[in-house]
Amino acid sequence: MREKAKPTVQIDDGKVKVTRWDFSPGAETGWHRHEMDYVVVPLTDGTLTAEMPDGSIVENKLTVGASYVRPVGVEHNIINNNDGPYSFIEVELK
């Protein structure tokens, strides 16, 4: 059982939900399915591990400020396998 990453909702209005995610080393989001399109803005350089429903593992190398977008329906568990903490901002589009 891994420690859970800490979500902090910063904005939740009629248009967007903005959440800051903070991970200790080894922490995970837990399995979840995205109900909205979303943008991720990395606040830390590093690699996050994504466990996928088919059992595959995807390593995502992320760079501070290099945002990316994903569509509604993505299902995964995100894990911080870095030696230090990791953080990003998630902007969900309503």
Side-chain angles (χ1 to χ4, degrees), residues 14-94:
K15 294 183 181 183
V16 298
K17 181 177 180 183
V18 178
T19 304
R20 178 183 171 125
W21 285 90
D22 292 297
F23 295 74
S24 299
E28 68 179 358
T29 56
W31 281 96
H32 62 282
R33 182 182 186 279
H34 288 268
E35 302 299 327
M36 295 173 261
D37 293 335
Y38 65 101
V39 176
V40 170
V41 183
L43 301 176
T44 312
D45 289 331
T47 302
L48 292 179
T49 301
E51 295 178 333
M52 307 306 288
D54 66 3
S56 65
I57 302 291
V58 178
E59 299 292 332
N60 297 297
K61 184 176 169 86
L62 305 171
T63 303
V64 171
S67 303
Y68 63 90
V69 64
R70 295 286 186 266
V72 64
V74 171
E75 186 176 354
H76 54 204
N77 179 33
I78 301 298
I79 305 160
N80 175 20
N81 283 324
N82 296 291
D83 292 334
Y86 193 90
S87 300
F88 62 80
I89 299 288
E90 177 183 79
V91 181
E92 296 175 286
L93 308 171
K94 295 184 179 180

